[in-house]
Structures are given as structure tokens and as C-alpha cells.
Amino acid sequence: MNIEFLFLRKAIKDKNYISFSHKDVELKKVKALKITEETLYTNQGDYCLLKIKKVKILKERY
């Protein structure tokens, strides 16, 4: 379990928006719904955790 996984789990619990890059595509103000060991489920689709980079937890809540 890496540090990004812990930050994402905390963001889901607190219902914060997140932004990250996945396969060189920047995603901003994404609503994270659920996380497993391999996948992040969001309102915009499912993403592999191994390909996610530059994770930022935004202060705004949904």
C-alpha cells in the first residue's frame, strides 16, 4: 500500500474532489467513489492505480 492509496482513501471518506493524470491525460475536479487494491472508481470512469500520477486532493467537497 503506497501513500497515494492512503490519500485517495481519505479523500473518498471526506468526500473531497481529486485531480490527477492518467496516461498523460489531466483530470480535474473528479469525484472519487470507491477504491480497491488495483482500481479507482470515479464519476468519470474507472482508472488503474498503477497508471495514476500527480494525485492532488482538492479542498472542495461534493
Side-chain angles (χ1 to χ4, degrees):
M1 188 179 316
N2 60 13
I3 192 75
E4 284 124 2
F5 183 84
L6 297 174
F7 281 130
L8 289 170
R9 192 167 66 180
K10 176 77 168 135
I12 292 169
K13 181 182 172 193
D14 293 345
K15 296 186 177 183
N16 288 67
Y17 285 107
I18 60 173
S19 68
F20 58 91
S21 64
H22 183 266
K23 293 184 181 178
D24 298 328
V25 176
E26 286 287 326
L27 298 159
K28 297 181 180 181
K29 203 168 182 181
V30 177
K31 191 185 296 185
L33 303 174
K34 187 173 105 175
I35 190 169
T36 63
E37 301 258 340
E38 301 171 349
T39 309
L40 173 66
Y41 299 96
T42 68
N43 61 336
Q44 296 181 2
D46 305 337
Y47 302 98
C48 178
L49 286 177
L50 297 175
K51 297 178 182 177
I52 291 177
K53 297 178 183 175
K54 300 181 186 175
V55 175
K56 292 182 184 176
I57 310 302
L58 305 176
K59 293 182 180 181
E60 301 173 24
R61 295 179 183 230
Y62 56 86

